[in-house]
């Protein structure tokens, strides 16, 4: 019969309309309430009716791995030892790995010795170029650059607002812990503590030396660092002695400098 | 007020109290104008690249920008008020875009969606990419992101509505279209050996003269870089999106920013003091 | 229309690829020789006999399906008399790997005979090589620029051509670190824009010929004529696009109409030419992955997969290659198939849009799509630009829970178990939706009357034009890379390849519908595998890959069956005997681009209103067409 297909189509559209009210009936007034939370159901795989997000009044919170423009992690302001300290050591890996090359880092130098200081003097991200790929966060060895979840960045003027400088980029570590608790926890486990990895290393070294002084016998190798808890930061890891390590580091730095100098000219 | 001439209102001879001159009728008129304009903003049905997919996603039922009176996407520029430049603008495409823009009736707005439309994006270095549509057209709102999520686009659209709210019929620098007669059309770029902006003809001529003389051409040296350490940009940058429909991000609050800043300064001072002690 | 397809015309004694190569060398001594460069395969053909050899390949050896044709500029690496190379990949429809044949010419004056007469599939690809490399193809019927405009200065993919914002040959640029004083690239340009003009540029002789060349030979203007009887119709040239609601982006067609009937149709593209390949050759291998997202921006996971497969082929040439772990392969297939559903939902929705069912079917399809995008967002971090695959694995394992954290004002959170969410979607929601959608659309009279018998692509033509994906299968040829040259874990999965019978729009629609069902079938087999491999490693060697891997020297062609058809990446690693960090050549063989070759022949004789549906049924995406 001619027209059957069209009729069937009308039935389907009508069903979609009805489904919305069925959903309303199922969840009652709660659908529009701010307190009762059925948002998860409505925006989940089980919902059947209309599912519009009423944007400024309700927003879909983004998942943890969500990536928008990057930000820099700095130590919290109430951190006992290094408040407001950058996690970034200006090693430059993010700038090297960035596909559209939108990261600019000025490495600080010690004014006297002219040696690089592990802290960026300036840090810029041109968010007009940034492609939100997340490589900087993925490859940062210090967990110092992370992808932000704040997507509400619309502006009226890009010349002033779209090159984010260090001040604009810096956000406290507690912010990162709050927007991505699971990822932050995983990273903490990989680092071996909530502190910056350099701090952990320094503490470890300190503990090692203390242990040496105290007992003069090498402490047994504790569990591998793969499963440390928050308190295992003082778990000594048998490695090179402090002097050896220092010498190695010096040599590496010298090599690096030589390479840069030859590459720069 | 049958024959209301808006320009008359600026006339100082008009008997109005001192403080209300130039404002009295216009403020209420502007309000009505802006209210109706911002709530019937018809975008041009016009997608360029990846961002267009998110734009359609925004138009679809989940985010649904018809809630802001924008559901009527028009295929013809003659019927639309808003051009959402959604994606990478190439040199080949900027010619039709400028033409479309010229065909749009005033008042008209341009929204640069995504990094590419704002400033070239990841493809900026490409030989066929225009580094930002604002090189050719006036842009009202920029939305960063690659691509901006539908919610980010909605945020930008709300920002545009706020901008419209702030416009006044009285201020002709702010809104060129309330002046006398239509405004000048944007000159359409020419596809020569590379794209040519007719506004830059003189510049190009000078550069080719340089080249003919065998002098270096086509490069410009940058002045030495100065690190700006003075004014914090943070407050400035976030202020632009300040109170977009029910408040922006957590960090937006100026007072909160102040507190954070003070805390940081105190902490730094503590740190310095400690360092001084250890040294 | 002929339905006889010469799929198997191979000589009995020539079965394998090696035998085919031996046969060629024996038949054409001194003309065909093996490519003996390290890491390379296939044969090199003397360019004066290219057409003969190609004809033999097609007619005698059964390699009648030409997939990719591209140029490589070996400036400074190869001898000056052979440093411009054309590379062709030909396949048999019965499956198996490619017979790669190459031909070389001096880059000062590259002239190569055109293969359009043998393989019409090379039409656009040769024009692209002419546009970007300046190779002259003798005998090409319409050798014009295709991606750039007529009158553009130079051929930009040549190694010595530098763009206006040129900074360094390869990334990472040294100006970014350690002395990264920020500037915008336009600040360095005297015009403040991304432009540069030749030194001998003379403004007084400036002419814009970009438009004229398009209409050349079409006879601009109205031409009233009689059509036999009493009917008098106008012959006129109509321009559709680049701003047209039904062109799925910035695509343009120049159509000659006789009344309302289409006489000729010429696709004009390049309005989204974003220079993927030039940028890709400046990038490191890793940096290209997020750029591949932006090719076919509806199926970014599939694009990622093709590229990493290509690079992994190259890595496998090295000695320290570790294969991809099983869990990562399972996740890759999961993502690729979900992507297929996402893409087909979108393309069917928009096909219906083009037919006049304005937005309702598209909105229904989009609702389902959003559910999958939510999953992508939770796993990969972005709805569209997933950037998820890596060399030797995937970015991260699936999260335990799809969970969000409130950050902004009014944020509403959700929290699902990932596996439950996936199972819900795959076993309940999507099948239910597909049933409903098919009930809704498949028997609709309007759809049937506008789709059946329109835009017919006969199978022999489909093969000749190198059609891929649902377009090829809609014409009745069961060719699918997942079966023809299986990759990842597809050999162990059970699925069918749906084909059409008549090769019209309706068949392509049905093929897409059935492909979604097949994808669901694959996904149902993936779910237990995901459960079984839970907790296993997703990175080769158990650790995250390096950010600057050195890739061994050689060439590779990684291809996958993307939703839109065969997507291939031709990657050359050269220039350094120890392996390179930047690809020497990075070419994308895009399904949307080659499928457009069929658009003209398919629309001929139809009404102008049918063009949009024919175009919709090809399912192009401009990011990939223009690259």
């Amino acid at each position: 019969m001619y027209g059957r297909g069209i009729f069937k189509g009308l039935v389907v559209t009508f069903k979609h309309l009805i489904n919305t009210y069925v959903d309303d009936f199922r969840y009652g007034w709660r659908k529009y309430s701010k307190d009762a939370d059925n948002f998860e159901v409505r925006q989940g795989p089980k919902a059947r009716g209309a599912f519009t997000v009423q944007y400024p009044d309700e927003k879909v919170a983004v998942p943890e791995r969500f990536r928008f423009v990057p930000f820099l992690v700095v130590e919290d302001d109430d951190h006992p030892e290094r408040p407001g300290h950058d996690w970034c050591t200006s090693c430059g890996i993010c700038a090297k790995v960035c596909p559209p090359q939108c990261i600019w880092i000025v490495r600080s130098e010690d004014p006297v010795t002219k040696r690089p200081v592990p802290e960026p003097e300036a840090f810029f991200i041109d968010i007009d170029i940034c492609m939100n790929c997340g490589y900087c966060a993925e490859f940062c060895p210090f967990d110092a650059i992370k992808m932000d979840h704040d997507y509400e960045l619309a502006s009226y003027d890009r010349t002033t607002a779209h090159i984010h400088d260090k001040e604009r980029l810096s956000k406290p570590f507690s912010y990162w812990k709050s927007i991505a608790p699971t990822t932050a926890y995983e990273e903490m486990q990989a680092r071996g503590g909530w502190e910056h990895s350099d701090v952990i290393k320094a503490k470890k070294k300190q503990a090692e030396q203390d242990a040496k002084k105290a007992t003069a016998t090498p402490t047994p190798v504790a569990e591998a660092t793969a499963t440390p808890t928050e308190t295992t930061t003082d778990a000594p890891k048998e490695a090179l002695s402090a002097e050896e390590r220092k010498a190695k580091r010096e040599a590496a730095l010298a090599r690096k400098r030589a390479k840069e100098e030859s590459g720069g000219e | 007020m049958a024959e209301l001439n808006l320009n008359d209102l600026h006339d100082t001879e008009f008997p109005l109290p001192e403080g209300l001159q130039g404002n009295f009728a216009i403020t209420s008129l502007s309000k009505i104008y802006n209210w109706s304009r911002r709530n019937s903003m018809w975008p041009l049905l016009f997608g360029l690249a990846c961002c267009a997919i998110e734009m359609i996603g925004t138009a679809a039922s989940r985010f649904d920008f018809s809630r802001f009176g924008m559901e009527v996407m028009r295929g013809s520029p003659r019927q639309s008020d808003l051009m959402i430049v959604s994606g990478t603008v190439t040199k080949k495409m900027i010619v039709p875009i400028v033409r479309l823009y010229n065909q749009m009736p005033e008042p008209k707005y341009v929204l640069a969606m995504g990094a590419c439309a704002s400033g070239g994006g990841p493809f900026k270095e490409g030989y066929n990419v225009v580094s930002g549509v604002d090189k050719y057209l006036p842009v009202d709102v920029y939305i960063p992101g690659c691509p901006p999520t539908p919610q980010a686009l909605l945020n930008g659209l709300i920002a545009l509505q706020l901008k419209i709210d702030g416009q006044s019929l009285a201020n002709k620098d702010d809104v060129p279209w309330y002046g006398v007669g239509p405004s000048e059309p944007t000159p359409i770029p020419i596809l020569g050996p590379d794209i040519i902006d007719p506004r830059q003809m003189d510049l190009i001529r000078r550069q080719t003269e340089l080249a003919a003389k065998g002098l270096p051409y086509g490069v410009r040296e940058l002045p030495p870089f100065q690190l700006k350490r003075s004014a914090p940009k943070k407050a400035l940058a976030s202020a632009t999106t300040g109170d977009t429909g029910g408040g922006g991000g957590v960090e937006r609050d100026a007072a909160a920013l102040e507190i954070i800043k003070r805390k940081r300064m105190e902490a730094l001072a503590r740190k310095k003091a400690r360092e001084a002690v250890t040294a | 229309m002929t339905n006889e397809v010469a799929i198997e015309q191979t000589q009995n004694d020539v079965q394998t690829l090696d035998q085919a190569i031996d046969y060629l060398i024996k038949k054409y001594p001194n003309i065909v020789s093996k490519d003996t460069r390290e890491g390379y395969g296939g044969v090199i053909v003397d360019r004066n006999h290219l057409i003969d050899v190609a004809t033999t390949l097609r007619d005698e050896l059964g390699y009648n399906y030409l997939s990719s044709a591209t140029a490589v500029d070996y400036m400074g690496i190869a001898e000056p008399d052979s440093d411009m190379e054309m590379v062709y990949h030909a396949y048999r429809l019965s499956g198996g790997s490619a017979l790669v044949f190459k031909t070389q010419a001096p880059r000062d004056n590259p002239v190569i005979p055109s293969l359009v007469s043998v393989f019409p599939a090379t039409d656009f690809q040769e024009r692209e090589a002419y546009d970007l490399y300046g190779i002259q193809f003798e005998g090409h019927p319409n050798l014009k620029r295709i991606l750039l405009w007529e009158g553009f200065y130079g051929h930009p993919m040549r190694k010595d051509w530098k763009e206006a914002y040129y900074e360094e040959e390869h990334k990472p640029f040294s100006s970014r670190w350690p002395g990264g004083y920020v500037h915008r690239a336009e600040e360095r340009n005297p015009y403040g824009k991304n432009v540069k003009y030749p030194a001998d540029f003379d403004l007084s002789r400036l002419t814009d010929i970009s438009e004229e060349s398009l209409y050349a030979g079409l006879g601009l203007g109205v031409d009233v004529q009689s059509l036999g009887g009493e009917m008098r119709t106008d012959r006129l040239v109509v321009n559709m696009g680049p701003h047209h609601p039904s062109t799925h982006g910035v695509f343009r067609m120049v159509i000659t109409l006789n009344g309302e009937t289409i006489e000729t149709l010429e696709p004009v593209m390049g309005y989204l030419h974003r220079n993927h390949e030039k940028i890709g050759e400046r990038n490191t291998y890793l940096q290209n992955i997020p750029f591949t997202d932006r090719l076919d921006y509806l199926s970014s996971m599939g694009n990622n997969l093709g590229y990493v497969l290509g690079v992994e082929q190259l890595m496998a040439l090295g000695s320290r290659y570790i294969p991809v772990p099983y869990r990562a392969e399972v996740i890759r297939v999961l993502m690729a198939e979900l992507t297929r559903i996402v893409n087909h939902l979108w393309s069917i929705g928009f096909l219906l849009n083009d037919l006049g069912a304005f937005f309702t079917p598209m909105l229904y399809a989009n609702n389902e799509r959003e559910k999958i995008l939510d999953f992508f967002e939770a796993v990969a971090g972005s709805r569209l630009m997933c950037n998820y695959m890596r060399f030797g694995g995937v970015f991260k394992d699936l999260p335990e829970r799809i969970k969000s954290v409130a950050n902004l004002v009014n944020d509403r959170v959700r929290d699902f178990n990932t596996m439950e969410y996936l199972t819900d979607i795959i076993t309940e929601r999507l099948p239910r939706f597909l049933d409903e959608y098919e009930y809704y659309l498949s028997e609709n009279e309007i759809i049937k009357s506008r789709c059946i018998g329109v835009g017919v692509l006969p199978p022999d033509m489909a093969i000749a034009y190198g059609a891929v994906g649902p377009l090829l299968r809609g014409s009745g040829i069961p060719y699918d890379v997942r079966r023809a040259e299986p990759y990842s874990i597809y050999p162990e999965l059970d699925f069918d390849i749906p084909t059409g019978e008549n090769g019209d729009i309706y068949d392509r629609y049905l093929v897409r519908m059935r492909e979604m069902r097949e994808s669901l079938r694959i996904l149902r087999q993936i779910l237990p595998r995901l459960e079984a491999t839970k907790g296993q490693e997703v990175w080769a060697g158990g650790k995250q890959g390096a950010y600057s891997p050195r890739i061994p020297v050689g060439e590779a062609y990684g291809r996958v069956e993307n939703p839109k058809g065969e997507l291939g990446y031709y990657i050359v690693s050269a220039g350094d005997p120890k392996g390179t960090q930047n690809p020497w050549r990075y070419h994308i063989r895009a399904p949307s681009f080659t499928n457009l070759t069929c658009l003209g022949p398919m629309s001929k004789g139809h009404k102008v209103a049918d063009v949009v549906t024919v175009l919709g049924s090809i399912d192009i995406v401009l990011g990939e067409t223009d690259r």
Side-chain angles (χ1 to χ4, degrees), chain C residues 33-322:
Chain C
S33 60
K34 264 194 180 156
D35 191 346
T36 50
R37 288 171 288 182
E38 190 194 342
Y40 285 63
V43 292
I44 297 177
V45 182
D46 180 11
R47 66 175 179 276
N48 297 320
H49 300 81
L50 183 66
I51 293 181
D52 287 350
V53 175
T55 315
T56 309
L57 260 178
R58 185 189 67 181
D59 296 340
E60 291 174 30
L61 297 173
Y63 284 91
N64 58 350
Y65 183 63
L66 192 111
S67 153
S68 156
T70 186
V72 189
D73 181 1
Y74 283 107
M75 186 185 87
I77 293 185
E79 296 297 315
D81 62 334
S82 64
D83 48 3
M84 193 61 98
E85 192 172 273
M86 271 304 277
V87 185
Y88 304 89
H89 287 76
Y91 289 94
R92 281 173 174 155
L93 284 169
S94 53
S97 48
L99 198 154
V100 190
F101 59 105
K102 296 158 191 163
T103 190
Q104 292 166 336
R107 74 189 287 281
D108 299 333
N109 179 27
V111 184
I112 288 173
S114 166
L115 278 188
V116 173
S117 56
V118 187
F119 295 110
T122 54
D123 185 351
F124 283 5
Q125 306 194 44
E126 282 182 357
R127 277 177 68 187
E128 186 196 336
Y130 161 71
D131 189 355
L132 304 181
Y133 283 92
I135 300 177
Q136 295 289 333
F137 290 95
E138 272 179 335
H140 192 289
N142 184 22
L143 196 64
K144 295 193 290 203
R145 284 191 185 262
I146 188 165
L147 296 178
L148 292 159
W149 61 91
E150 208 63 44
F152 186 81
Y153 173 62
H155 300 285
M157 280 300 290
R158 286 180 160 236
K159 284 283 175 191
D160 50 359
W161 197 95
K162 292 189 171 68
E163 55 270 40
Y165 285 166
Y166 172 80
E167 215 177 318
E168 261 171 62
E169 205 57 45
H170 294 304
K171 288 175 187 174
F173 298 144
S174 58
S175 66
R176 300 300 194 269
W177 179 87
Y181 298 102
V182 69
H183 73 266
R184 287 192 164 99
E186 49 263 51
E187 291 166 11
R188 285 240 175 106
N189 191 298
Y191 312 104
K193 290 191 169 79
N194 186 8
V195 289
K196 70 166 197 184
Y197 304 102
D200 55 349
F201 178 44
D202 185 0
L203 268 178
S204 58
R205 282 187 285 115
L206 172 69
T207 43
D208 188 343
I209 53 166
S210 59
E211 290 292 302
E212 286 163 32
S213 65
L214 290 178
Y215 302 114
L218 289 177
L220 265 185
V222 178
D223 167 24
V224 183
Q225 54 169 5
S226 72
L227 253 183
E230 293 149 31
M231 183 78 157
R232 294 175 76 82
T233 50
D234 296 347
R235 216 175 140 274
L236 71 158
V237 177
V238 170
N239 183 61
M240 272 177 91
H243 160 70
H244 189 275
S246 64
T247 51
H248 295 216
V250 284
F251 179 63
R252 176 175 174 191
M253 293 170 277
V254 178
I255 307 170
T256 324
L257 290 177
N258 191 339
E260 266 204 69
T261 314
I262 291 161
E263 281 192 343
T264 63
L265 183 149
E266 204 197 314
V268 182
M269 48 194 111
Y271 290 95
L272 194 54
H273 179 46
R274 301 192 277 194
N275 333 117
H276 267 276
E277 296 183 2
K278 187 83 181 175
I279 296 174
E281 287 170 17
R282 302 240 184 270
N283 281 353
T284 65
Y285 288 97
L286 189 81
Q287 285 170 346
N288 273 333
I289 301 178
F291 278 97
T292 63
D293 284 338
R294 284 145 181 89
L295 285 169
D296 174 357
Y297 31 77
L298 287 166
S299 32
S300 60
M301 290 278 195
N303 303 342
N304 284 179
L305 182 57
Y307 178 65
V308 297
L309 284 178
V311 176
E312 276 164 8
Q313 272 181 31
L314 276 176
M315 288 165 94
L317 297 172
S319 52
R320 280 183 294 173
Y321 175 67
I322 308 168

Side-chain angles (χ1 to χ4, degrees), chain C residues 315-366:
Chain C
M315 288 165 94
L317 297 172
S319 52
R320 280 183 294 173
Y321 175 67
I322 308 168
V324 181
Y326 188 70
R327 167 107 180 146
E329 295 280 22
V330 173
I331 295 177
R332 283 179 179 187
V333 173
L334 168 83
M335 294 304 182
E337 294 306 320
L338 281 176
T339 301
R340 196 178 312 280
I341 295 175
V342 165
N343 179 75
H344 284 353
L345 284 174
W346 186 270
S347 76
I348 290 177
F350 268 85
L351 173 66
L352 267 292
N353 238 14
D354 294 343
L355 283 168
F358 209 62
F359 269 117
T360 310
M362 188 255 140
L363 290 178
Y364 290 169
N366 200 51

Side-chain angles (χ1 to χ4, degrees), chain C residues 573-599:
Chain C
S573 167
D576 188 343
K578 279 189 232 140
T580 58
Q581 294 188 353
N582 308 76
W584 182 266
R585 177 78 176 107
Y586 163 73
H587 172 69
I588 304 138
R589 180 249 182 263
S592 306
F593 182 62
T594 45
N595 276 353
L596 278 176
T597 325
C598 317
L599 178 65

Side-chain angles (χ1 to χ4, degrees), chain A residues 3-5 16 40 43 45-47 51 56 59 65 67 90 96 99 101 105 107 131 133 135 138 178, chain C residues 171 173 176-178 180 286-287 294 367 379-381 386-387 390 397 410 412 414-415 424 429 436 445:
Chain A
R4 246 183 68 194
H16 272 259
E40 188 173 304
Q43 292 294 330
K46 292 209 164 66
F51 68 148
K59 302 172 184 171
R65 289 185 188 179
R67 40 189 160 78
S90 68
K96 283 180 207 151
Q101 297 284 295
I105 305 170
R107 193 175 55 189
M131 69 199 297
C133 67
Y135 273 172
E138 188 179 337
S178 74
Chain C
K171 288 175 187 174
F173 298 144
R176 300 300 194 269
W177 179 87
L286 189 81
Q287 285 170 346
R294 284 145 181 89
N367 278 5
V379 175
C386 299
N387 185 19
R390 298 284 184 274
D397 202 347
N410 291 338
R412 308 286 288 268
R414 295 174 301 161
D415 186 5
D424 257 357
R429 195 174 169 107
E436 186 193 76
E445 288 86 356

Side-chain angles (χ1 to χ4, degrees), chain A residues 230-249:
Chain A
E230 222 173 314
T231 49
T232 53
T233 45
D234 54 350
K237 190 178 149 205
E238 191 55 55
L240 304 164
S241 76
E243 285 79 6
E244 265 177 305
R245 225 191 260 173
K246 203 174 167 192
K248 236 182 167 178
R249 201 185 153 86

